[in-house]
Amino acid sequence: MDTTENADTADHGENSAPGTVPNGAPQGPPPTSETAAVRPFRAARTAAFFDLDKTIIAKSSALAFSRPFYQGGLINRRAVLKSAYAQFVFLVGGADHDQMERMREYLSALTKGWNVQQVREIVAETLHGLIDPIIYDEAASLIEQHHQAGRDVVIVSSSGSEVVEPIGQLLGADHVIATRLQVEDGRYTGAIDYYAYAENKAAAIRELALSEGYDLTNCFAYSDSSTDLPLLEAVGHPSAVNPDRALRKEAQNRDWPILVFDRPVELRRRLPQFSAPSRSVLLAVAVGAAVLTGGLLWYAAKRRRPVA
């Protein structure tokens, strides 16, 4: 399937590899003097900002861990069944702002008191096997092409940093912005130090742009969710990837590129030089998966609850 509904607007071709643009579509004809006159000046550094779930990977990074958490005794069988339903709902429609806010409250209560080391060990054992096969080939190509164009790649995700960081390492991301959880005495307190969601994402990339010298008007952003509109609006070149209904409408109204990613591929097959991070690395990056798992299990329960 073609990876874009509006491929010609996804990039202006500046510093791209010969014959391609970042969405993998064939490059257009050489620029004329007229197009060269409107091409942004690239004295400042630039970056491409990627959401994670349904943008880089084909599933919820959190729900992927429901079975290992069940096997480790953190959730029960009923929660595993609910997670399958939640995964379906997530893939079909995602969650709106109110649901995400309730999700944040629920996941805080659910994970309170969980043993951090136990969660880290579970994720360390299963992260590579669960996440590596569900990375979109199209997203991996975009990341490569942005790097070839001289741009940094930044993953910006509501998932916990302990999960997002190793995924970023697999993909060669230059920076990661993710949710940070509070831990005391080796257990989750139920508090969230920083929630990488909605306007918080936009504020974070503006802060990163200041420290790294990015010109956001020449930067790119990719997301599937309407809750990421602040992130997309913060850059000069936003794209909707596998968008939910609300984001698709916004993208159409604003003439943003709409990209369709539908080819999950095992990273080690795509990149022969790929090597998985060691267990010691994975043990340091595991807490976040537990957090969004709890949140999306709540979302499943909410969708099944009768309206009063």
Side-chain angles (χ1 to χ4, degrees), residues 59 73 86 97 125-126 149 155 168 186 207 219 230 239 248 254 297 299:
K59 295 182 180 180
H97 174 77
E125 292 287 348
T126 59
I155 296 177
E207 183 177 346
C219 288
S239 293
R248 177 177 290 274
R254 303 185 193 209
L297 292 179
Y299 181 50

Side-chain angles (χ1 to χ4, degrees), residues 9 28 41 56 68 91 108 110 143 162 170 188 200 206 219 247 289:
T9 60
F41 178 65
I56 292 179
L91 292 174
S108 296
L110 181 69
I143 289 170
E162 299 84 355
L170 294 182
Y188 300 118
N200 287 347
R206 292 189 188 103
C219 288
L247 180 57

